[in-house]
Amino acid sequence: MSSLKVYNTLTRQKEEFKSITPGHVGMYVCGPTVSGESHLGHARPYITFDIVYRYLQYLGYKIRYVRNITDAGHFEEEGREAEDKISKKAVIEKLEPMELVQKYTNLFHWAMKQFNTIEPSIEPTATGHIVEQIVMIEKIIKDGYAYVANGSVYFDVEKYNADYSKKGLPYGILSGRVLDDQMDTTRDLDNQDEKRNKSDFALWKNAPPEHIMRWASPWGEGFPGWHIECSAMSTKYLGQQFDIHGGGMDLQFPHHECEIAQSAVCNEQMAARYWMHNNMITINGRKMGKSYNNVIKLSELFSGDHPILQQSYSPMTVRFFILQTHYRSTLDFGNEALQAAEKGLKRLWEAHEALQKMKVTYFEFDAEKADAETDTKVLTLLDEFDTFMNDDFSTAKVLANMFEIVPVINSIKNKHISSATALNRDTFDLMKLKMKVFIEDIFGLKSELEGDNNKLNGVLQVLIELRKEAKAKKDYATSDAIRKQLLAVGIALKDEKDGNISYALL
């Protein structure tokens, strides 16, 4: 088997993956800011890194997966006015900040469960690590790379860049941006008059009297900047250097760039060996944005309740849709593409289920009668599952191979060909095993019939209760009508001796 190669944003090339500690992987992924409900754009990074997590497990690694919850912070994003999103939204919704945080954290967890993502090993919050952030800020000030201004603390980017460029860790090492160019194009935004340089960013912000979220610090009451939380939490749970740092491409700059600088000052080394970034999702060729009215919340996606949507799309359809494109490529969302994914998933899952149900005995196989061409083709397709995943997690290529195997499975199911004359026994067993492992364990796809069955059971219980009430009132016409109409659609009701009513699907 080929070794795993990962595209490292830091070096801009694929590299052979070698963990710091053999057999163990530390992975940090930037989690959601819980100031609002998660949208379609949030689905991609967490499904992407769920695949990374699952595949590393398949390779035998023990993983500590840390994904934070940002529930406080001063957000400085490129080209936007800096703000405290949590406090701002709490005022709008007339909720306590932590009440708002709990509401949207619960919604995020619900959505991740629908997508069948594995929970991270640790899910730390920014508010739960204020002490660690303050300690890190104090170290940066002590070393001369941050300064206090009116109760706020700013990172001195120019001084850092001058000194750490000599150590091979310049500011801009990840994004490829040159500091002089950044300063020429930086807009005059929040508190620029407090900063020594336009490119400096906040480590701690002084809290004005009206600000709700505030903590005591050596510089007065305030709240942390956005970037410092991830440096503090990744260091605490994964060490001064860890294996993988992941997130969306939009986080490369300034967030991850600032993380690298902060951690370099405190730990004197690059925070992570491999920096992985998934590309963006567009909607019908356009970037998602409120001005385009094309930001689709995950609950709207699942219910179909959005003007752009022609129908609802199940979580597994969305997951499958995301896996059809390499994580570093742009993914364009549209109704036609989602509907095609829905059909593709149905075809793949039906073949997978049929394969797993096949009961073939050892004596049915005859190696001399096996079709050598078909057998070799299937073996090659199966072997490439690992080859493609080892090539920077190429899920799309694995799915393409699966769809080449589907006709073989369907031909065996429909008895157009015999498994005994098409494949060797070992090939058949391998096909059955690898399809299950990759579809369910690595790609995280699952049957959605269980959820549908729960809904069906709920509806039937309502009808059964209505029939019981009708019989109690001696309204036999209604009672019989319910029984007959259910029977017509393949559901038989049975009156049990204890007075209960059971049902069976015919």
Side-chain angles (χ1 to χ4, degrees), residues 76 136-137 140-141 144-148 152-161 164 171 195-204 227-228 257-266:
E76 294 180 294
M136 188 168 262
I137 294 169
I140 297 170
I141 293 173
Y145 296 100
Y147 55 91
V148 182
S152 295
V153 183
Y154 295 98
F155 190 93
D156 191 332
V157 173
E158 275 199 51
K159 187 174 190 307
Y160 167 84
N161 189 58
Y164 277 80
Y171 188 79
K195 299 179 181 180
R196 292 177 183 170
N197 314 294
K198 286 184 178 182
S199 56
D200 294 351
F201 58 88
L203 296 172
W204 186 267
H227 314 302
I228 192 67
E257 201 73 75
C258 294
E259 274 190 65
I260 289 171
Q262 295 164 162
S263 296
V265 172
C266 292

Side-chain angles (χ1 to χ4, degrees), residues 106-297:
N106 290 345
L107 275 172
F108 171 72
H109 286 156
W110 168 80
M112 292 305 103
K113 189 174 181 181
Q114 304 311 302
F115 285 132
N116 197 32
T117 61
I118 298 173
E119 293 178 354
S121 315
I122 304 172
E123 193 174 53
T125 63
T127 56
H129 295 78
I130 298 295
V131 171
E132 289 83 355
Q133 293 176 72
I134 288 174
V135 168
M136 188 168 262
I137 294 169
E138 287 180 312
K139 163 78 167 140
I140 297 170
I141 293 173
K142 182 182 176 183
D143 287 1
Y145 296 100
Y147 55 91
V148 182
N150 300 323
S152 295
V153 183
Y154 295 98
F155 190 93
D156 191 332
V157 173
E158 275 199 51
K159 187 174 190 307
Y160 167 84
N161 189 58
D163 292 348
Y164 277 80
S165 289
K166 300 170 188 174
K167 300 179 181 182
L169 291 169
Y171 188 79
I173 188 173
L174 184 69
S175 61
R177 302 190 183 204
V178 178
L179 183 58
D180 290 342
D181 294 341
Q182 292 174 35
M183 293 183 68
D184 289 341
T185 57
T186 300
R187 290 167 52 201
D188 286 323
L189 297 174
D190 178 64
N191 297 113
Q192 289 288 4
D193 56 329
E194 290 184 349
K195 299 179 181 180
R196 292 177 183 170
N197 314 294
K198 286 184 178 182
S199 56
D200 294 351
F201 58 88
L203 296 172
W204 186 267
K205 286 294 292 180
N206 177 43
E210 70 277 6
H211 201 276
I212 305 170
M213 301 180 79
R214 56 206 301 134
W215 290 267
S217 81
W219 320 286
E221 287 196 346
F223 52 99
W226 174 29
H227 314 302
I228 192 67
E229 66 168 283
C230 289
S231 289
M233 291 187 283
S234 63
T235 300
K236 178 170 182 175
Y237 296 111
L238 297 174
Q240 294 184 350
Q241 187 180 63
F242 50 95
D243 297 295
I244 297 172
H245 195 313
M249 194 173 285
D250 57 322
L251 296 180
Q252 276 187 49
F253 185 88
H255 186 51
H256 290 167
E257 201 73 75
C258 294
E259 274 190 65
I260 289 171
Q262 295 164 162
S263 296
V265 172
C266 292
N267 303 322
E268 289 298 326
Q269 59 187 315
M270 174 58 67
R273 278 191 175 183
Y274 304 90
W275 291 77
M276 295 178 64
H277 296 90
N278 63 276
N279 213 321
M280 300 294 99
I281 286 181
T282 55
I283 309 287
N284 296 320
R286 270 184 162 177
K287 182 181 177 181
M288 279 197 298
K290 291 179 182 178
S291 59
Y292 299 131
N293 193 31
N294 66 354
V295 176
I296 304 172
K297 297 173 184 175

